[in-house]
Amino acid sequence: MSNKNNSSLTFEGPSCPVPYQHQKKIIMGHGSGGRLTHELVKNIFLPHFTSQALAAGNDFASVNLPADAMLAGSLTISTDAHIVHPIFFPGGDIGRLAIAGTVNDISMSGGKPLYITVSFIIEEGMTIEMLERIANSMKITAEEAGVKIIAGDTKVAERGKADKIFISTTGIGWIPPNRVINGQSAQPGDAVLISGTIGDHGIAVLAERGKLGFQTKIKSDVAPLNNLVEIIIFKAPSVHVLRDPTRGGLATTLNEIATQSKVTITINEKDIPIKKEVQAACEMLGFDPLYVANEGKLIAILPLEQAEIALHAMHSHPYGRDAKIIGYVEKADERERVLLKTIIGGTRIVDTLAGEMLPRIC
Amino acid sequence: MSNKNNSSLTFEGPSCPVPYQHQKKIIMGHGSGGRLTHELVKNIFLPHFTSQALAAGNDFASVNLPADAMLAGSLTISTDAHIVHPIFFPGGDIGRLAIAGTVNDISMSGGKPLYITVSFIIEEGMTIEMLERIANSMKITAEEAGVKIIAGDTKVAERGKADKIFISTTGIGWIPPNRVINGQSAQPGDAVLISGTIGDHGIAVLAERGKLGFQTKIKSDVAPLNNLVEIIIFKAPSVHVLRDPTRGGLATTLNEIATQSKVTITINEKDIPIKKEVQAACEMLGFDPLYVANEGKLIAILPLEQAEIALHAMHSHPYGRDAKIIGYVEKADERERVLLKTIIGGTRIVDTLAGEMLPRIC
C-alpha cells in the first residue's frame, strides 16, 4: 500500500500549502503520495484502522497466520469493488458494505476472515467529514466481524471522473481442514435455507435514491455474516453450500449454484420470507423481489436431516432470526435450472437475469 | 469475488438481450452479476487469467501456500488502486501497471509474490477491445512475474461517473524467514543504490497526454521487479531497505525512509542516472526529476561493504543495468532529512512534496 504514515511530519516545510486540519474537502494532493496523503492516513485512517502494519508506513503489511492455520487447511481470498450509489443509505453506507461484503465472501467458503485490505478511489471535492464517517463505519464493521484492516491505498480522481468514493476490499481467511463448502457441492436431497427476508438492501438503496415516491422504513440488511456461519457449521457440519445472494438476488445466486452443482433447485414461493414493505415496493416498481440484492443474507444448502438443526441455529442469531427452509435440491433432468412453486400452485422457471435491473446497488 | 463463470450458460433464455459477441462496448449490465457479467468473465478474463479458482465460479479463491511457506516466514500483503490517465501510454498500460505495481510492493518487503486479486471499475461505454488488451497485458505481466491472478470482481459505473477503467490489485506473498527488509531498517554507514534512470514513467505518461508539445521516445519503465529483488538478496543478503519510488519519485520515497529509520540520507546529484530526454522534458516543464514517478525502479539500502556486489548483481539483470550507487546514510542530527549534494558543489535539503505535481500518474 502507498499510505505511508509519517508520524513526525510537521507543516513547516517550504512547499506546504494549507495544512490538513484546515482542509474540509479532498483535493488532488490527497492522492499524491506526498505530505497531504500522509496527513490523511494519519488523521483519518489510522485512528480507525488500528493496525501496526498500517502504522509502520511501509507499502506492505507483514502478518503471521494463526498457529492453527500453519498446521492445516487452506487460505481463502476474495476481492470486491464497491460503487454503491448513494454512499449513505438507511441501515448502512459504502464503508459497512465494503467490509461486510468481503467478510461474507470469505465466510461463504467456510473460511474464517482474518485480514482485509482497502483501496480508496476518491473524487476531488468529497468532504473530509464524509470520508471520516465512512472510515468509522468500516472500523465498527471490522470490529464486529473480528477482522483486521491491515493495508490500504488512496487515490484521488478529478471532479467528474469518479463518483464521490469507490472502495475495493480484499479479504484473506483461513479454511479449517475438512471444510468443503462451495457452489459445486449441492446434492440431490439437500434442503435449501435462507437466513432471512429478501430484497431489503436493494429497496433501501432505491428508496434513498428517491425512486419509491413515498416514505418507507425499509433498511438495508448489510451485515457481516461470519459469526452466523460459524454457528451454522458448528451445528450442521455437513453444510454443502453457503452463498450470499447479493447482486442479482436469490434467483441469480440459486441459478449459479444449480449450474455449478449440475442440479435442479426448487423453491416454494410461500416459504420465502419477505417484508410487507419490500413486497409492496417491488409490486409498485414492477420488480421481482427474487432478483433484488441482499447484503446480510445467506443461502445454506445441506443434507435434509440437518435442515431443522441448521434452522434452529440460525434462529438463535440476530442475523438469522427470520430464517426459513425454502426448497430442496433435485437431480437435473435435461439441464440444471431453478424452479419456483408459486403460491397459486403453478411452477415456473426462474432464470438468471441477463442485464441490469438495479445498477450500482453494491 | 463476484465474477462467476458459468460455463454451460447459453443465450437461449427468454430475458437475454444482445449476446456478448455482438456487444462492442461495456454496458451497465456487464456489472450486474447476471448473465452479461458471466459472459464477460468467460470471454475476456478467463482466457487471460488461467486460474482454476477463477474458473470454479465461486466468490472466493481457495489456495494452499507453498510447502516452504507453511514451515516458516510470514505473509506479506499489499493493495493499490490504479487510476492512471491515459490508460495506454508508451511502454505500458494500466493493466501492466496494476500487476507490476502490486508485485513490486510485495517484493520490496523481501517477499516472493504468489497470488494477485483484481477488481475492475469500468465506465459504461468503454470498448470491449480495450478491456481485452488490458487483460492481455495483465496476463503477460503476471506470467513474467510468476504470480497467479486468482480472483476478480467487475463493477460498471454510468458514463461520466468513472474514467474508462480503474483497477485495484491486492497481492499476497511469502517472506522467507530471516528476511527483515523494511523502511525502518536503514542504518548509518549504509549505501543507497538506485536500479536505473529516474522519471521515465512520469514523463512518458505526460507525453502521452500531449503535455510536452513535442515528440519523444521516452517510454515508461513499468515492470515487475521481483526477479531483480531475488538476485539482489541472493548476492547481498544483508540488504536493509528496498522501496520502489513511485508517486512522489525518488525524493519523496527517500524522505519516507529517512523518517521511518530516523536517519539522514545524502545523495549526489552527479550520480543519479537520468535519461537526457527526461532531463530535457523536466527542464522545459519546470519539474524536478527527483519528484517524478517511476514504476520499474527500486532503491536498495544496504551495508557499504555489500554495495559493489549488489551493484554488479543489478547490472546483470535487464531492469538493473543502469544501476548506480547514489548516496549514503548518516546519523540524523536534529531531525531526519534528505540532502542533495548538487553538481555545482552545494548542499540542499530535499523535502517531501506537499501536494500534487502530476495527478493520476499511477
Side-chain angles (χ1 to χ4, degrees), chain A residues 1-2 4 6 8 13-17 28-29 31-36 38 56-65 69-70 73-81 83 105 108-109 117-119 121 150-158 160-163 166 168 170 172 175 181-184 243-244 247-248 252 256 259-260 336 351-356 359-360 362, chain B residues 1-2 4 6 8 13-17 28-29 31-36 38 56-65 69-70 73-81 83 105 108-109 117-119 121 150-158 160-163 166 168 170 172 175 181-184 243-244 247-248 252 256 259-260 336 351-356 359-360 362:
Chain A
M1 59 123 194
S2 302
K4 289 147 199 145
N6 241 332
S8 67
S15 56
C16 184
M28 292 304 290
S32 67
R35 196 168 298 181
L36 282 171
H38 296 166
N58 293 305
D59 285 348
F60 56 85
S62 170
V63 295
N64 288 302
L65 289 177
M70 294 302 289
S74 57
L75 288 186
T76 177
I77 296 161
S78 185
T79 194
D80 261 315
I83 63 167
D105 282 346
M108 299 308 138
S109 69
T117 67
V118 180
S119 101
I121 297 169
I150 54 164
D153 183 43
T154 308
K155 296 279 158 62
V156 179
E158 303 90 337
K161 298 292 182 185
D163 194 7
F166 300 146
S168 288
T170 301
I172 293 117
I175 308 181
I181 300 172
N182 58 50
Q184 285 81 10
R243 179 79 57 91
D244 52 338
R247 278 189 294 186
T252 301
E256 287 165 2
T259 305
Q260 285 182 275
E336 56 274 5
D351 211 339
T352 299
L353 210 61
E356 182 65 292
R360 297 191 49 195
C362 62
Chain B
M1 60 126 190
S2 302
K4 288 148 200 147
N6 242 333
S8 68
S15 56
C16 184
M28 293 305 289
S32 67
R35 197 167 298 180
L36 282 172
H38 296 165
N58 293 305
D59 285 349
F60 55 85
S62 172
V63 295
N64 288 303
L65 290 178
M70 295 300 289
S74 57
L75 289 186
T76 176
I77 296 161
S78 185
T79 194
D80 261 315
I83 63 167
D105 281 347
M108 299 308 136
S109 70
T117 68
V118 180
S119 102
I121 297 168
I150 54 166
D153 184 44
T154 308
K155 297 280 158 60
V156 178
E158 303 90 339
K161 298 293 183 184
D163 193 8
F166 300 145
S168 289
T170 302
I172 294 119
I175 308 182
I181 298 172
N182 58 49
Q184 286 81 8
R243 180 80 55 94
D244 53 338
R247 275 189 296 186
T252 301
E256 288 165 3
T259 305
Q260 285 182 277
E336 56 274 5
D351 211 340
T352 299
L353 211 62
E356 181 65 294
R360 294 188 54 193
C362 63

Side-chain angles (χ1 to χ4, degrees), chain A residues 93-114:
Chain A
D93 57 58
I94 192 170
R96 182 166 176 84
L97 188 70
I99 299 296
T102 289
V103 162
N104 293 349
D105 282 346
I106 293 290
S107 304
M108 299 308 138
S109 69
K112 295 171 187 271
L114 302 170

Side-chain angles (χ1 to χ4, degrees), chain B residues 193-251:
Chain B
L193 286 75
I194 182 93
S195 64
T197 56
I198 64 167
D200 300 15
H201 175 73
I203 297 301
V205 172
L206 270 193
E208 188 64 22
R209 288 182 195 164
K211 291 288 168 71
L212 295 191
F214 58 85
Q215 292 283 322
T216 169
K217 288 179 187 161
I218 301 165
K219 281 185 179 175
S220 168
D221 55 348
V222 57
L225 298 174
N226 54 323
N227 296 321
L228 178 61
V229 163
E230 287 304 318
I231 289 172
I232 295 170
I233 295 176
F234 181 71
K235 292 285 188 180
S238 301
V239 58
H240 292 148
V241 182
L242 294 170
R243 180 80 55 94
D244 53 338
T246 57
R247 275 189 296 186
L250 181 63

